[in-house]
Amino acid sequence: MTEVEYHPKHELIREERFPHVWCPGCGLGIELQCYLNALEKSGIPQNNHVLVSGIGCTARIPGYANLDTYHTTHGRGLPFATGMKIANPDLKVTVISGDGDLFNIGGNHFIHAARRNMDLLVICSNNFNYGMTGGQHGSTTPLTSKSASTPYGNIEPTFNLPYIASALGASYVARWTVMHPRQLTKSIRTAMDVKGFAFIEVLSPCPPNFGKFNGFKDGFEEMEFYRKSSVVQNDAKLEDISIDPFHGKDIVLGDFVNRKRASYITLEHELIDRIRGGGQ
Amino acid sequence: MIKEPKISENQREIWREPVNFGRFAVPKGEIHIFPERCKECNYCTNYCPNQVLERSPEVNVYGYHPVRVREDKKDSCVACGMCQSICPDFAIFVKEVKIQ
Amino acid sequence: MNFLPPGKYFADGNFALTEGAIHAGCRFFAGYPITPSSEVLERMSIRLPEIGGHFIEMEDEIASMAAILGASNGGSKSMTATSGPGFSLMQENIGLGVITETPTVVLDEMRGGPSTGIPTRVGQGDVMQTRWGSHGDLAPITYAPNSVQESFDLEIEAFNAAETYRQPVIVASDQVVGHLTEILEVKNMEDYHIVQRETRKTRNGNEGVYDYSRDFTPMFAAGTGFRGNVDSLTHDERGYPSNESSVEKEMLEHLLNKVRKNEDKIVKYEEFLVEDSKLVVVAYGITSRSVKRAVKEARKEGLKVGMFRPITLWPFPEKRIRQLAEQSKEFIVPEINYGQYSHSVREYSQTETKEMHFPPGAVPDYRVILKEIERCLK
C-alpha cells in the first residue's frame, strides 16, 4: 500500500524540497494544502497565481508552492505585493505571512493596503508568538499567556485582527483554524474571487514554542484546544471576537465580511482611462 | 490526551436505517504514505474516524516513527480524506477505490 | 505626451530626473514625499498615468522601496525618489534588490544631516551610505550628477545599468542640483541608447532561476509561467534557500563579480585640466562646480591644478585615481560633509589627501577652495 507515487498536489508543490522546515505538529503545512486546494478550484490558471511573503515560519510557505514565489524582507510582503499587483493586474497575488510579520513589523503596511482596498488576498497565520526566533510574545499573544519573552505572563492586550481588517474597509474578512481545513479551503476559494482586499486569519498551532510555554504537551493537544474552544458564528459582532481563550472565552470563527467596495485596481484603471481620453 | 465520548452499541441499534440504505455502498479508500516525510505529529492517527492508522515502530532517516496502516484495519478506510487534509507534511494521501 | 519632445528646456533638476526616467522606460513609481525630492513624486503623479504607467504614493519609504521591487519583478521598470532620512529607511530593501537581482533605480537627493538635519538645503553626507548603507557585501553602482543636463542623461544611464547588472542603482543627486534651473537639451528618442529588459518565460528542464557561471542571466517576470522562487535568503541557482557557506560563496561572488568585472564599462568621470597638474581636486555633485571655478582662477595665477570629478561614485574610479596619484603629489577633496569620499580617495590613491569640510546648508565658496589650492602649491 505504500508504493511510491506522486502526491495529488504534485503539480502544485516543489516536491524536491520536502520534507519541509516546519516542526512536527506545525499547522503551516495544512494551511499550504488548503491554499493549494482552493487554487485548484479557483479556475484561475496556475501561472497567474503569485505567492508573496515576508519573513518568518509562515513566510516559508511560498518556497514550497510551485508558483512564481517571492520571499521578501520582514514585514514588507504587502508593499512588495502591492507594487507587483499594480504593475501587472492580471496576477492573482496572495500574501501569506505570519501575525508578527503582518501586524507587528508590517502593521503600517497592512493598515494602508486594507484602506486602499488593494486587490490582494492576505492569509495571516496566527500562532500567537514569534515562532522562528524561539517563541517571543507579539501583538497577538493572548493576555496572561506565557512566551519566551513574557515569562511571568503577558500583560499586553491583543490585536483583534478581523475587527481591524473590517474597520479598515477590507472587502472580505474571515477567521478559521487549521483544524477546519474544509471551511478554510472554501474561504480561501471565495476570497480569490473577491475584488479588493481579502483577509483571512488562520489560527495555527506552534507546539515547540507557544504550545510548550502554555502547557500543551504536543501539537495534537493544541489542535484539540482549538477544536474545543472554537465556535462558528458568521454574523458575530467583530468588536467582541478578540482572542482570550485562557479566560474561558470561545474563539469565534466564520466568514464575517463579504462586501462590495471599489478596489484600488478598478479605481486606478478608471483614472488612467479618464486621463488618456477614454481607454486607449 | 482528550478522548471523545464513544457511541454505545445500544445507541447504534435504535438508529433508524433509511429504506434505500442497501443501495449505497460504503466507499473504500487506499492509503498512500511517504514515510520519509512523516514527522510523527499524530494528527492523522488521532483524527482518522475509523482509527485506521498507527505509528510504526520503525524510524525514518530523520528519527521519526512514521505512520502506517494498522494490519487489522486494512479494509476499514472509507476514503473520507481527513488524514490527507490534516497532514501538515504532505506525507499521506488517499485514493478512492472503485467498488465493483 | 508620451516623451518629452526633443528641444531645449529651461528646467530644474527634478524635472530632468523625472523626464529622464520616463525616457528610460520607467512605468512604475512608488514614493513618499520628502524635501527636496518631492517634485519628482509630484511630476510622476502627473506624467505616469498619462502614458499608461502606474504611480502610487506609499505609506513610507520602506514600503516605497518594497513596492518598486515588486513592480520590477512584475515586469515594470520602476523607481523611487527620496532624500537622506527616507534613504536610510530604504537600506534593508536595497539589499533585497541586490540579493534577488531585481533592477530598479533609487534617487537620493542629498540634504543636510544627520537625522532631519536641514531638509531644505544641500548636503553630501549620504555618499558612504550609498556604498555601505545596506548590510552585507554589495557592489553598488552610484551616479552623481552635477547639472540639470546630467540629471536627465544619468537617469537614463542608471536605468540601463540597473537592467544590465540586475540590481538597484542609486542616483545620488543633491538639493541644489535638484532645484537648479538651467538649460536642458533633449535629443531625439532614437539618439538614446535604452536597454530593454529581456525576460525568460518558460523553464527548460532543470534550468535555474539564476546561473552563477554567467554574469548576466535574464530575469523572469511574475505570471509568465516560469514558476521560480525569488528569495531574500542566501540561495542556490535554483533559487532555493541554503545554509551552506559554499552556496553563500557562490552567490555572493556572482553578485559582486558581475559589477567588479565590468567596472571599466561602468566607471565614468570628468577631468578638467589634469594633464599637467601637480595637484588634483577631487569633487562630485554640486561641489564640483565651485571647484571648477576655483581651478580656473588658480590657473590664471599659473598654478598647475586640475579637477577630477567622479560621475560614478561607486564603483570607485580606482584605475584613473592611481594614475593621477603618480603625476600629482597631492589630492584635495572638498565635500559638503566632514570627510567621507576623501577616505576612499586616500585609500585607493595611497597619496597625501587633504580633506576639506563644508557644513551642509550651503554650496562651498570657490574662494575657500582657491585659497587651499594656493596654500598647497605656493
Side-chain angles (χ1 to χ4, degrees), chain C residues 10-17 34-40 42 109-111 119-122 147-148 151 173-182 286:
Chain C
F10 190 54
D12 69 10
N14 283 340
F15 174 94
L17 287 160
I34 186 167
T35 306
S37 74
S38 302
E39 293 86 354
V40 176
E42 287 168 10
E109 256 170 51
M110 295 185 280
R111 66 187 213 189
T120 54
R121 312 198 72 177
V122 68
S147 66
V148 172
S151 296
S173 182
D174 51 59
Q175 180 267 330
V176 173
V177 174
H179 289 158
L180 190 70
T181 305
E182 56 185 8
I286 194 64

Side-chain angles (χ1 to χ4, degrees), chain C residues 101-120:
Chain C
E101 303 193 42
T102 305
T104 193
V105 173
V106 180
L107 165 62
D108 173 30
E109 256 170 51
M110 295 185 280
R111 66 187 213 189
S115 190
T116 315
I118 312 179
T120 54

Side-chain angles (χ1 to χ4, degrees), chain B residues 19-53:
Chain B
V19 285
N20 58 355
F21 190 74
R23 280 162 51 197
F24 296 93
V26 179
K28 196 171 164 334
E30 193 182 72
I31 296 167
H32 298 255
I33 295 163
F34 301 95
E36 297 307 319
R37 287 189 200 167
C38 181
K39 288 180 186 161
E40 211 184 304
C41 68
N42 290 330
Y43 289 172
C44 57
T45 50
N46 282 306
Y47 287 121
C48 172
N50 282 355
Q51 290 87 40
V52 175
L53 300 160

Side-chain angles (χ1 to χ4, degrees), chain A residues 11 14 16-17 46-50 54-55 60 62-63 66-74 76 78-84 86-89 91 108-110 112-113 115-116 118 264 268-269 271-272 275-276, chain C residues 2 28 46 49-60 62-64 66-76 92-93 96 100 203 220-233 238 240-241:
Chain A
E11 285 291 315
R14 296 182 172 132
E16 69 273 24
R17 296 204 61 210
Q46 191 178 341
N47 286 349
N48 287 20
H49 283 278
V50 173
I55 291 295
R60 292 295 196 101
N66 189 18
L67 308 166
D68 287 336
T69 54
Y70 296 86
H71 183 210
T72 67
T73 41
H74 198 18
R76 320 302 168 203
L78 268 172
F80 187 95
T82 297
M84 183 173 274
I86 295 173
N88 185 355
L91 301 174
N108 196 26
H109 307 310
F110 183 88
H112 289 277
R115 173 186 60 80
R116 289 184 186 111
M118 187 56 64
Y264 182 90
E268 199 218 6
H269 286 200
L271 174 105
I272 293 175
I275 289 163
R276 306 191 80 193
Chain C
N2 269 353
F28 184 94
I46 301 169
E50 272 181 3
I51 56 170
H54 305 280
F55 167 87
I56 185 167
E57 193 175 317
M58 295 300 283
E59 52 269 23
D60 56 26
I62 303 174
S64 307
I68 61 170
L69 293 175
S72 186
N73 276 299
S76 260
E92 187 194 15
N93 282 334
L96 175 66
T100 59
R203 202 169 186 166
F220 73 88
T224 51
F226 191 85
R227 294 186 196 163
N229 185 41
V230 173
D231 215 304
S232 62
L233 290 160
R238 297 172 301 169
Y240 295 161

Side-chain angles (χ1 to χ4, degrees), chain A residues 35-224:
Chain A
Y35 168 77
L36 296 175
N37 278 327
L39 184 150
E40 274 182 323
K41 290 175 187 152
S42 70
I44 302 166
Q46 191 178 341
N47 286 349
N48 287 20
H49 283 278
V50 173
L51 262 185
V52 179
S53 67
I55 291 295
C57 293
T58 318
R60 292 295 196 101
I61 287 184
Y64 297 104
N66 189 18
L67 308 166
D68 287 336
T69 54
Y70 296 86
H71 183 210
T72 67
T73 41
H74 198 18
R76 320 302 168 203
L78 268 172
F80 187 95
T82 297
M84 183 173 274
K85 177 70 185 177
I86 295 173
N88 185 355
D90 295 337
L91 301 174
K92 181 73 226 169
V93 184
T94 303
V95 177
I96 194 156
S97 230
D99 49 323
D101 187 79
L102 284 168
F103 286 92
N104 301 349
I105 192 167
N108 196 26
H109 307 310
F110 183 88
I111 292 174
H112 289 277
R115 173 186 60 80
R116 289 184 186 111
N117 209 19
M118 187 56 64
D119 299 54
L120 298 171
L121 164 55
V122 180
I123 302 172
C124 169
S125 173
N126 181 0
N127 55 11
F128 304 134
N129 71 156
Y130 287 100
M132 193 159 260
T133 47
Q136 295 80 6
H137 104 289
S139 62
T140 49
T141 310
L143 215 55
T144 70
S145 64
K146 293 191 175 166
S147 73
S149 57
T150 51
Y152 308 113
N154 177 29
I155 55 169
E156 293 179 19
T158 63
F159 268 146
N160 175 349
L161 305 184
Y163 187 40
I164 296 177
S166 171
L168 294 167
S171 285
Y172 181 88
V173 180
R175 178 199 272 162
W176 294 104
T177 80
V178 290
M179 191 52 229
H180 300 76
R182 289 188 177 125
Q183 293 92 325
L184 176 58
T185 302
K186 198 165 157 244
S187 186
I188 298 174
R189 164 75 193 88
T190 313
M192 277 176 178
D193 287 343
V194 167
K195 270 200 183 305
F197 193 81
F199 172 71
I200 303 171
E201 178 186 2
V202 185
L203 306 183
S204 171
C206 184
N209 295 317
F210 184 79
K212 186 186 72 188
F213 288 119
N214 292 287
F216 296 107
K217 197 172 93 249
D218 55 11
F220 174 64
E221 265 195 20
E222 216 177 330
M223 284 288 255
E224 277 297 277

